[in-house]
Each structure stands twice: as C-alpha cells, then as structure tokens.
C-alpha cells in the first residue's frame, strides 16, 4: 500500500544527490513491511559508474543489509519512472511493486535518454498491469526542476 512518506525519502535522496553533484535527480527507497530497508540515489558522476542509478544504489544496499538477493517482500519508491536497466534489476531482485513520481518523458525534458532506451528495449510496456504505479508526480517534479536550473552535467 502506497505511503507518501516513503516517496519523501526518495525525494530526500534525490536532493542530496544533486546537491553533491553525484548525478541526476533520481532517488529511491526500498520498503519491507512498512519499514524502509534502504535508500539511495543516482551516483553515476561521483562513482564513474554508468549503472549506479538511484534504484540500483538502493537495491544494492537493501540486499547487503538483508543478506539476500531476493527482495520479493519489498516495494520500491523512486522519483522517476525506472529506465530499462533499472527495471531489469528490479525484476531480478523480485521486488513486487514500484511506485514512481516523474515519467520517462519528464526525464527526457531534463536531458536524460531513458525514453530512447525504453523504446529500443520495450521497457515498462511489457510489465504486468499494476506492477508500476505513478504517484506524487508534482512533488517529484520539484527536484527535477531544481536539477534543470542547476545546469548540471548531463550524461
């Protein structure tokens, strides 16, 4: 069941990431039994790791904390609709539900190529109905707009 407080944690991660110049405005939180297990944000620039998106960062931390690769009892909250790479990681981790704020089209408006890769790879259109749900888009757009005004490095 969706809880705004968890999206606010993802937002906080996204803000931290852009203020530290770690990467784009993408934060994520992983929740199990209404408890935040881990949170993370995009660290592509700070880690020189093109795979360290917010969702991946949070998944890595949650799996390490729980001592398992199986997050089947978990939900993921993220400020932006997951790209195909993150969707694959989410599926490999067996996460049962994704709540996202901004759409791939919002990512594109601030300079990211997620929509291009989604089109090439089929992305979210191949997922079961109800697996991903858009929530609090307007709230998440705030951090996207802040990032855009920062004229941060695009990649």
């Amino acid at each position: 069941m969706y809880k705004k407080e968890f999206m606010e944690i993802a937002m906080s991660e996204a803000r931290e990431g852009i203020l530290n110049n770690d990467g784009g405005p993408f934060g994520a939180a992983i929740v199990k039994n209404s408890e935040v297990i881990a949170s993370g944000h995009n660290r592509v620039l700070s880690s020189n790791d093109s795979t360290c998106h917010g969702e991946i960062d949070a998944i890595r931390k949650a799996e390490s904390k729980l001592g398992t690769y199986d997050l089947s009892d978990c939900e993921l909250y993220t400020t932006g609709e997951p790209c195909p790479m993150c969707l694959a990681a989410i599926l490999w981790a067996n996460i049962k539900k994704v709540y996202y704020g901004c759409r791939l089209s919002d990512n594109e408006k601030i300079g990211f190529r997620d929509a291009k890769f989604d089109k090439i790879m089929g992305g979210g259109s191949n997922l079961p109905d109800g697996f991903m749900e858009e929530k609090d888009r307007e709230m998440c757009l705030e951090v996207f707009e802040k990032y855009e005004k920062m004229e941060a490095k695009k990649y």
Side-chain angles (χ1 to χ4, degrees), residues 70-105:
D70 185 3
L71 303 179
S72 58
D73 293 331
C74 298
E75 298 174 330
L76 186 138
Y77 289 71
T78 180
T79 57
E81 184 176 350
C83 72
M85 176 187 70
C86 290
L87 278 177
I90 289 164
L91 293 170
W92 276 109
N94 298 314
I95 291 171
K96 66 181 179 180
K97 178 80 176 180
V98 175
Y99 298 103
Y100 67 92
C102 295
R103 303 171 185 151
L104 292 180
S105 58

Side-chain angles (χ1 to χ4, degrees), residues 15 41 49 54 62 67 73 78 87 95 114 120 124 126-127 129 155:
R15 280 189 206 95
H41 61 264
D49 178 353
D73 293 331
T78 180
L87 278 177
I95 291 171
D114 303 51
I120 291 169
N126 293 324
L127 296 171
D129 286 341
Y155 48 92

Side-chain angles (χ1 to χ4, degrees), residues 3 42 54 57 68 90 97 112 115 119 135 144 147 153:
K3 291 187 180 177
N42 185 296
D57 190 38
T68 183
I90 289 164
K97 178 80 176 180
F112 289 91
K119 185 176 180 182
K135 291 287 193 180
F144 276 46
Y147 175 79
K153 182 177 180 180

Side-chain angles (χ1 to χ4, degrees), residues 1 3 6 30-37 66 72-75 96:
M1 177 190 301
K3 291 187 180 177
F6 300 137
I30 297 184
V31 176
K32 180 177 182 176
N33 300 325
S34 295
E35 178 186 337
V36 175
I37 301 301
L66 295 174
S72 58
D73 293 331
C74 298
E75 298 174 330
K96 66 181 179 180

Side-chain angles (χ1 to χ4, degrees), residues 107-108 111-118 155:
N107 299 356
E108 190 170 32
F112 289 91
R113 303 172 289 160
D114 303 51
K116 173 185 172 182
F117 297 130
D118 188 69
Y155 48 92

